[in-house]
Amino acid sequence: MKSTVLSITIRAVCSLMTFNSCGQSSVSISVPVIWSNVTIKDNWTPPTAPNYQEYRSGIALGYGVGLTYSFQPKIVIKSKHIWVNVGLGYLKQKFEIERPFNYDTPLFLIVHTDNYSYECWYASIGLTYIYNLSKKYILTGGATFNLLQSYRQVYVPNTTNTDMFPPQINDSHIDYGKIFYCNIGLSRTFGERFIVGLSLVAPV
């Protein structure tokens, strides 16, 4: 079980605007960079062990890339400021936390991580409110729900003997979690169709 104490995400976004009979739409490529201070519960070490710690803390760093389709369904939403977003993406998050894990070895040793990482696919859906500050600058704010699925986990043992204890790679499908976050951003238009911006994202 993982709980985030503090998380800061900066996301760079490039958008291409299109027009059709149903209203405006855009396709965006985003690159999130995530820093988190996390605390996890140790569910592996027996509570009677002399070095037992119920919780272990550390820093997590993540990055990824996402593709988002944004549109204005004029039949449902009349406001020109509100957009609906749906997207897919990739996220890798690395945890700098020392904790025991189930290392695949016949020696029955308790092995701790130096660090470990999860690679995930994610799907998202959300709403964005767009306000034009000027002809070139746009202020955005919104809320998004993400569903993450990890398909690869890499555990690096805390040891200098890498020949005996190499990193362990698991190709397991894990429900990594659900995240609801709010964001605020500033974008600049280049011409009528191209937009570049940065946004700050915070989980709720």
Side-chain angles (χ1 to χ4, degrees):
M1 181 178 179
K2 179 173 78 275
S3 60
T4 302
V5 178
L6 177 63
S7 180
I8 298 175
T9 303
I10 298 176
R11 184 175 58 181
V13 182
C14 292
S15 301
L16 178 64
M17 190 80 68
T18 60
F19 302 88
N20 53 52
S21 59
C22 298
Q24 297 182 8
S25 63
S26 69
V27 176
S28 304
I29 297 177
S30 61
V31 181
V33 179
I34 306 169
W35 176 90
S36 302
N37 186 6
V38 297
T39 300
I40 64 167
K41 184 175 176 61
D42 185 355
N43 293 319
W44 197 87
T45 305
T48 55
N51 62 339
Y52 174 71
Q53 299 178 39
E54 185 178 6
Y55 293 96
R56 297 172 182 265
S57 301
I59 294 174
L61 298 173
Y63 62 88
V65 62
L67 185 66
T68 302
Y69 177 69
S70 303
F71 60 98
Q72 292 180 298
K74 294 297 185 181
I75 298 177
V76 180
I77 300 176
K78 302 301 181 181
S79 174
K80 64 179 181 179
H81 298 287
I82 298 177
W83 292 62
V84 177
N85 313 305
V86 291
L88 295 171
Y90 163 84
L91 177 67
K92 181 177 181 179
Q93 197 161 19
K94 181 180 179 181
F95 297 87
E96 299 287 348
I97 300 177
E98 181 181 343
R99 70 169 180 86
F101 73 106
N102 188 19
Y103 192 74
D104 187 13
T105 174
L107 301 177
F108 301 102
L109 297 175
I110 297 178
V111 180
H112 289 72
T113 59
D114 178 73
N115 64 78
Y116 59 98
S117 60
Y118 291 90
E119 295 185 54
C120 307
W121 296 112
Y122 69 84
S124 64
I125 184 170
L127 294 174
T128 297
Y129 184 87
I130 296 177
Y131 180 77
N132 294 313
L133 295 174
S134 66
K135 291 182 178 181
K136 291 185 177 181
Y137 291 96
I138 301 171
L139 182 66
T140 61
T144 302
F145 175 77
N146 284 274
L147 182 65
L148 295 96
Q149 183 78 17
S150 174
Y151 64 90
R152 178 170 296 164
Q153 307 82 41
V154 180
Y155 301 91
V156 180
N158 185 11
T159 178
T160 57
N161 191 347
T162 56
D163 293 331
M164 186 174 182
F165 298 98
Q168 178 171 300
I169 301 176
N170 297 342
D171 293 323
S172 303
H173 291 277
I174 299 174
D175 183 6
Y176 190 63
K178 305 174 181 65
I179 302 175
F180 181 79
Y181 65 79
C182 295
N183 66 85
I184 185 169
L186 182 66
S187 301
R188 188 186 190 280
T189 60
F190 293 87
E192 296 182 355
R193 294 179 178 269
F194 195 63
I195 302 172
V196 177
L198 289 174
S199 62
L200 184 64
V201 179
V204 178

